[in-house]
Amino acid sequence: MASQVNPPRGMRDFLPAEKARRERVLGVIRSVYSAHGFDEIETPVMEESDRLHSGLGGDNEKLGFAVLKRGLKADDLTEAADPLDLADLGLRFDLTVPLARFYATHRSELPAVFRSIQIASVWRAERPQKGRYRQFIQADIDIIGEAGPLAEIELMTATAATVDALGLTGWSIRVNDRRLLVGMLEALGFDAKDHDSALITIDKLDKIGQDGVVAELREKGLPGDALERFFRRPQTMELLSFGERLIAKGLPPGADAAVIAHLAAIGLAVDAGQGSPVVEFDPFLVRGMGYYTGTIFEISHPLSTSALGGGGRYDGMIGRFLGTDVPAAGFSIGFERIVDLVESTETTDADAVALIYDVDIDLPALMRLKAGLVAEGKRVRLERAPRNLKPLLAQLAASGFTRVANVTAQGTHGTGDLRFRALDQER
């Protein structure tokens, strides 16, 4: 019986054309983020197990892959009270926890306000399904050390510019603030001890609708009736353009005026930078990560049922490592979702050429030819002449090659002797 040759569930191989497409998208993301003043860093794929499971990663901690300690014996397995007792390391499940550790390690070497880019794979023990993988790429930008609204404004502006540069249109950024969510729950009569449970249910609004949210709150013994009445207000379910009065329209009376002013400053500044309204206030945007302390945001697109990215302010996380709080905010692009939306066009390279050589070619001469073309700045592929040329030409075109030349044993004198033909004329 043949052994299994597919990759592990929830993980994927990428053929050259798809890999090249993904790298083109990553190149745009890196270029735009860099243009907006962010610097790229790299952190290890693994962190200490205790750090990954210290309450900083929210529900993602439950999905982490643990790495067993070296030298374990059978007795260690039977004596462990918890499976994590057997692990000392784990694969990172996001890039935010590693960034917090990185900043705590290198704070003295970094600027007072540090703007970072991290683009790397993360691993989660998800149940594999369409659009949800066990290994996937995250593309994060974070600003550490800026307590004012400028951090959120820069994050949203840089992400908006990135999405525009990728050719996507019709997107918008929804924003809210965890402090307004808590204020809403208090105004509607939810006890403080029930806030987390209530927000978990409200976070399902896009999936189960208003009736489903109200029913689930009632099942939990929470004041779903009060939320139902709030839903019925015509202005409650609007996604509101920005301004302090407009934000207040979507909230119960008595909402924190300072937080509303903070959000209004962010939305108006981002809209001004874009030249048109792209930011909307969503009073029911939750984002499930418990480490968020203030502003939260997501980027939506009409062709995607899930957010294309999101983030928020997490002022309390880095203090867990340093013993003193440091303001921080971040925005993570959902690379795997965005790469599926970016138009898949066949990209060619004017400097990509293929040499189709005879079986009896003089190899030293062939290598001199290739070296000369490479020295001229060309990308060169060597291909032995097949009996049927068409499949080879199609494959070369799919890989981005634009021109071909035949090389014979009698014609390998120099690059000037090559007669290139346009590949699109050959197919």
Side-chain angles (χ1 to χ4, degrees), residues 70-210:
R70 294 182 61 189
L72 289 174
K73 305 288 194 300
D75 289 345
D76 297 319
L77 305 181
T78 57
E79 293 172 4
D82 185 286
L84 285 177
D85 293 341
L86 302 172
D88 56 356
L89 299 171
L91 291 174
R92 62 189 177 208
F93 47 72
D94 71 6
L95 298 176
T96 307
V97 175
L99 173 65
R101 195 272 310 150
F102 173 93
Y103 183 82
T105 302
H106 300 284
R107 184 182 187 183
S108 63
E109 307 163 70
L110 299 172
V113 176
F114 178 51
R115 295 167 174 83
S116 76
I117 307 170
Q118 278 193 101
I119 300 177
S121 289
V122 300
W123 292 265
R124 297 178 190 171
E126 298 271 13
R127 180 174 297 167
Q129 53 187 291
K130 181 176 174 57
R132 192 174 293 272
Y133 308 103
R134 289 180 170 175
Q135 177 180 341
F136 56 96
I137 287 178
Q138 282 191 335
D140 288 11
I141 49 173
D142 292 81
I143 298 179
I144 301 176
E146 173 57 64
L150 183 60
E152 289 96 320
I153 293 167
E154 284 201 89
L155 291 169
M156 293 184 199
T157 300
T159 302
T162 300
V163 176
D164 281 342
L166 289 169
L168 299 180
T169 59
W171 54 268
S172 61
I173 300 175
R174 295 184 297 151
V175 305
N176 197 4
D177 195 290
R178 295 286 289 209
R179 294 166 292 183
L180 294 181
L181 283 167
V182 169
M184 178 181 70
L185 293 178
E186 290 174 346
L188 296 177
F190 288 77
D191 291 336
K193 63 180 177 58
D194 297 323
H195 286 179
D196 287 345
S197 178
L199 290 176
I200 289 171
T201 298
I202 293 171
D203 199 22
K204 301 176 183 178
L205 184 61
D206 289 344
K207 296 178 181 177
I208 64 177
Q210 298 176 33

Side-chain angles (χ1 to χ4, degrees), residues 286-299:
V286 174
R287 292 200 58 78
M289 302 306 294
Y291 54 65
Y292 290 128
T293 58
T295 318
I296 49 177
F297 30 83
E298 287 186 347
I299 188 164

